[in-house]
Amino acid sequence: GLLKTPILITIVNRLGDAIDEVVTHTVLEVLYNAAISTNKVKTLMKDQNTITELRDCKLRWANFGEIGRECDRVVKAILTPKLDLGDVDKMLETEIDLGIGPSARARFGDSDRKQTEAYKLPSRYRNFLVSGEILKWHRDSKRIEDAHLQIRRDLKRLLWSNPSNPQVKKSMGVWKMRRVKSGASAPAVSGKKKGGFKSRVALDARTFSIYGEDAVLSMECPSESVRDKWVKALQA
């Protein structure tokens, strides 16, 4: 619907006319969801001067920091191209410098500077996520592959790799993780494929999916308790 210019104009005008904080939050949420949908919508929003309206909105609500941050979030979403899902695997199948070796520290000149963590997690979750575990990745509707799932030491990227070739890692920025959901609701998850864990526990009780802005990562665990541990750690 947003590809129809009058609809977008109406929403943007509502943002400019809003005198209520709750209404402004609602309109900004609608614009954000639109901005992360497709590249066509992003282009249309640029053409309709949506970014200018967002910056004006931030100025009008200068005393409300949360609204300002929401405006910035929408602007960033508009300016960030959306990846074609068909190119995701190709883009991510590259070696990733974990940034913890001597060469990385020497290159960036921070060998003597204390590293700060992007997020603070209880140590039990942090250690678990950084170490990771080999799970079953439901790659699509036909394939299941072993995957070592973990979080990078700086807690900024989710990594997964084939245990037989651990140097080649796929990744997802944690800022792109929208939600973590238990169960087998993601399209790629199916018990009809070969290669999953042998278990008497229903697949729905052993799987979870990580919903990102550009892709969905679906993982199968050997037991329900392991699945619950992953979900709690990722949501922490």
Side-chain angles (χ1 to χ4, degrees):
L2 277 174
L3 285 177
K4 296 180 179 179
T5 303
I7 297 178
L8 177 60
I9 292 176
T10 299
I11 296 174
V12 174
N13 287 342
R14 189 73 180 95
L15 179 66
D17 297 338
I19 58 175
D20 182 87
E21 183 182 358
V22 175
V23 173
T24 302
H25 279 296
T26 300
V27 175
L28 287 170
E29 185 65 25
V30 171
L31 289 174
Y32 176 74
N33 288 331
I36 63 174
S37 59
T38 68
N39 287 323
K40 287 185 179 180
V41 173
K42 293 174 187 286
T43 300
L44 179 60
M45 295 177 87
K46 293 175 186 177
D47 292 343
Q48 297 302 316
N49 297 319
T50 305
I51 293 177
T52 300
E53 293 294 337
L54 286 163
R55 288 171 177 164
D56 290 344
C57 176
K58 181 178 179 179
L59 290 175
R60 287 198 306 274
W61 294 89
N63 294 328
F64 295 79
E66 183 62 29
I67 289 180
R69 286 189 288 273
E70 288 186 29
C71 288
D72 290 339
R73 183 177 72 147
V74 179
V75 171
K76 182 178 179 180
I78 294 173
L79 295 175
T80 303
K82 185 176 180 64
L83 293 176
D84 184 342
L85 291 180
D87 295 334
V88 171
D89 282 350
K90 184 176 180 181
M91 284 186 60
L92 297 181
E93 287 181 348
T94 56
E95 292 191 15
I96 295 175
D97 183 354
L98 299 183
I100 59 174
S103 61
R105 293 193 177 101
R107 182 165 63 253
F108 293 108
D110 61 353
S111 57
D112 298 324
R113 186 170 67 244
K114 184 177 180 181
Q115 299 298 306
T116 56
E117 296 178 356
Y119 306 99
K120 290 185 178 180
L121 283 174
S123 58
R124 67 183 184 277
Y125 289 141
R126 190 183 194 284
N127 294 338
F128 172 72
L129 290 171
V130 170
S131 298
E133 190 173 10
I134 296 177
L135 304 175
K136 299 292 185 179
W137 175 27
H138 285 247
R139 185 163 185 163
D140 52 38
S141 60
K142 297 181 180 180
R143 293 179 291 174
I144 297 178
E145 298 178 6
D146 288 340
H148 181 214
L149 183 66
Q150 64 186 138
I151 293 286
R152 201 168 70 180
R153 287 183 180 274
D154 60 8
L155 305 181
K156 292 182 179 180
R157 297 198 76 85
L158 179 72
L159 309 174
W160 64 102
S161 61
N162 190 313
S164 64
N165 191 13
Q167 297 305 315
V168 178
K169 299 180 184 292
K170 300 177 187 296
S171 75
M172 176 190 296
V174 297
W175 63 90
K176 288 191 174 185
M177 291 168 54
R178 301 291 299 278
R179 60 179 174 140
V180 179
K181 185 177 181 181
S182 301
S185 60
V189 181
S190 170
K192 297 180 180 180
K193 295 178 291 187
K194 294 182 179 180
F197 287 111
K198 294 181 179 180
S199 174
R200 294 182 179 180
V201 180
L203 186 64
D204 187 66
R206 296 185 290 105
T207 53
F208 67 91
S209 294
I210 301 168
Y211 290 79
E213 290 186 5
D214 306 311
V216 178
L217 181 65
S218 298
M219 290 291 181
E220 176 185 343
C221 302
S223 67
E224 184 173 5
S225 61
V226 172
R227 189 277 307 273
D228 292 343
K229 187 174 183 180
W230 271 103
V231 172
K232 288 180 180 178
L234 289 169
Q235 291 178 339

